[in-house]
Amino acid sequence: MDGNASVEHALRGAAPHQLVDVVTAALKEQYGASSVELYIADYAMRSLQPVGAPQGEATSLALHDSPEGRAFGAQEPHVVPCPPGRVTVHLPVTVRGDRTGVLSVAVPEDRLTDEVLGDLDILCTALGHEIQVAERDTDLFQMARRATRLTLAAEMQWQLLPGRACSRSEFTLGGHLEPAYAIFGDNFDWAVSPETLTLSVTNGMGDGIEAALLTSLAVNALRNARRAGLGIADQAALADQALYGQYGGSRYLSVLLMELHLGTGEMDVVEAGSPWVLRMRDGAVEPLAFDAQLPLGMFEETPYVTERLSLRAGDRLLITSDGVDGAVSPTGETYGEQALARSLAASRMLPAPQVPGALLHALTGHRGSGPLEDDALVVCLDWHGRVDHGAHPQPAPVRSLG
């Protein structure tokens, strides 16, 4: 059994809270590592938090102003000399495009070959997978992820999220929420099958626990319908019935449902009081207008219909909640569509998982340092296209947006 295979075998057999210990022991034995540290990106994506440090004693690292943060942002190893005769290599820990954190390893300089870097990269991927599995059974990584305490509503919302990024050859997807430690009713969800990507963006009315409970019911109702094999129009209808049955029309929720057919780039859309959608194509940014339908839960047995959107390879879609475009500056000026379009154009060279953070940072510059009055959600989807465009069955289009 080679080195990586033996480490992966040890990781799979380790107790959830001992993953870092297993990796540390293996790296010391195989590469002469003198120190190994695992850092997890915090909920706000502003800092890297050490795993395993006692509460109150953890020293955060700046995500955008540290060697570790450079590896995280560039998604490639970053090597720093640390004399005498040693180097520290910072390696991103990422699973299917979802950036978890950074593994920092100090090794003898003469041991760090290209082959060793490749082995360490494979090890980090294996570690990322095991962290995702381990989070079912331990709070260690969840506790490391928080730079400050989460509100109960935020705790509920983060548990609903599928991740913060997802990547396949056909697309790259990323999303983020602010205020990360006190979000209320905004949420995003996605699921990938061999031939489709289903994406939902929700915005529940109210704040605090009431908003979180409303969104939780809606997201789980949508998932229940999706996992029963229903199309997005029926998913919306069943979630609408669930909300109306619980609240009788007194509380409702806006949603944008999208189903992207990976073989063709055709996308079915249900817009029910949803956030804004912008498309960047060939450098030009334009809003996409869909037929407005009623939010979920407003009336009993509301019917929903799909529309059709055609994507071209290279298209970028940006979805935002009203907490973004409606954010107000200290002088009373709302952020608005034009400012949002400028921010999207300015971030055109960033990969999709980094765009939401960049836009929310620009939003902070607009509104100042005060607390957000509403949740701010940004989701970015890059469509790369599929090389093999074989024929796949598609639902009949309702309306084409080109």
Side-chain angles (χ1 to χ4, degrees):
M1 184 179 294
D2 64 31
N4 269 338
S6 65
V7 177
E8 290 181 34
H9 180 76
L11 280 171
R12 287 194 294 270
H17 60 279
Q18 292 181 327
L19 297 181
V20 179
D21 294 336
V22 167
V23 169
T24 299
L27 292 178
K28 286 183 176 181
E29 178 182 350
Q30 294 185 28
Y31 305 112
S34 57
S35 68
V36 178
E37 296 286 345
L38 175 64
Y39 297 92
I40 298 286
D42 87 309
Y43 286 105
M45 298 291 277
R46 295 191 184 96
S47 66
L48 291 166
Q49 306 289 121
V51 174
Q55 284 191 303
E57 298 180 19
T59 302
S60 299
L61 301 176
L63 194 63
H64 302 293
D65 189 24
S66 66
E68 295 85 352
R70 179 172 175 179
F72 184 87
Q75 286 295 286
E76 58 185 30
H78 180 57
V79 180
V80 178
C82 50
R86 304 189 75 82
V87 295
T88 297
V89 55
H90 306 292
L91 301 121
V93 178
T94 300
V95 179
R96 296 190 181 95
D98 195 6
R99 300 177 297 163
T100 299
V102 172
L103 186 70
S104 297
V105 185
V107 295
E109 186 174 9
D110 58 1
R111 299 284 295 274
L112 189 64
T113 63
D114 289 342
E115 182 180 359
V116 168
L117 272 176
D119 288 343
L120 292 175
D121 180 63
I122 294 172
L123 174 61
C124 285
T125 300
L127 176 60
H129 279 282
E130 292 304 321
I131 288 172
Q132 289 189 349
V133 174
E135 286 186 323
R136 299 179 307 180
D137 302 313
T138 180
D139 287 334
L140 176 66
F141 304 103
Q142 296 283 356
M143 292 169 66
R145 190 169 280 117
R146 54 199 70 196
T148 187
R149 185 173 179 177
L150 288 174
T151 65
L152 178 55
E155 186 88 49
M156 295 168 64
Q157 292 294 66
W158 281 108
Q159 291 301 312
L160 279 178
L161 294 177
R164 283 186 288 202
C166 180
S167 180
R168 273 184 44 165
S169 60
E170 299 94 340
F171 68 87
T172 307
L173 176 64
H176 192 50
L177 294 161
E178 288 286 354
Y181 290 88
I183 51 177
F184 301 140
D186 285 4
N187 198 271
F188 55 82
D189 191 29
W190 58 68
V192 186
S193 73
E195 295 302 330
T196 60
L197 164 68
T198 303
L199 170 65
S200 66
V201 176
T202 55
N203 182 5
M205 66 179 293
D207 53 28
I209 296 298
E210 291 297 326
L213 288 170
L214 176 67
T215 300
S216 180
L217 177 58
V219 170
N220 280 291
L222 289 168
R223 287 175 176 172
N224 181 256
R226 184 185 73 219
R227 292 165 183 169
L230 301 181
I232 57 172
D234 289 332
Q235 292 173 30
L238 288 183
D240 171 69
Q241 292 175 25
L243 293 184
Y244 188 84
Q246 180 66 28
Y247 296 105
S250 63
R251 302 185 70 80
Y252 50 86
L253 174 140
S254 299
V255 66
L256 177 71
L257 278 167
M258 295 177 156
E259 187 174 66
L260 175 59
H261 302 281
L262 302 179
T264 63
E266 296 294 308
M267 176 180 278
D268 294 316
V269 181
V270 172
E271 192 272 282
S274 70
W276 278 6
V277 184
L278 297 178
R279 178 177 62 193
M280 185 165 68
R281 172 177 288 175
D282 299 329
V285 179
E286 60 177 335
L288 298 180
F290 301 101
D291 289 336
Q293 302 181 66
L294 291 172
L296 305 187
M298 183 173 284
F299 299 105
E300 188 173 11
E301 297 185 357
T302 302
Y304 293 93
V305 296
T306 61
E307 301 176 63
R308 177 59 61 88
L309 173 67
S310 298
L311 298 183
R312 300 177 188 169
D315 280 357
R316 167 169 285 181
L317 297 185
L318 187 79
I319 306 163
T320 66
S321 67
D322 52 9
V324 176
D325 53 87
V328 179
S329 71
T331 60
E333 180 183 0
T334 57
Y335 196 57
E337 178 184 320
Q338 291 185 349
L340 187 58
R342 287 195 299 269
S343 295
L344 178 58
S347 62
R348 63 187 179 277
M349 301 303 294
L350 293 177
Q354 295 186 36
V355 171
L359 264 65
L360 290 170
H361 180 74
L363 181 67
T364 300
H366 168 80
R367 64 174 180 80
S369 59
L372 282 167
E373 296 182 0
D374 192 8
D375 292 351
L377 173 151
V378 179
V379 173
C380 182
L381 170 64
D382 283 351
W383 172 243
H384 310 308
R386 179 180 282 182
V387 175
D388 178 17
H389 293 284
H392 300 284
Q394 302 295 331
V398 178
R399 183 167 73 89
S400 175
L401 295 179

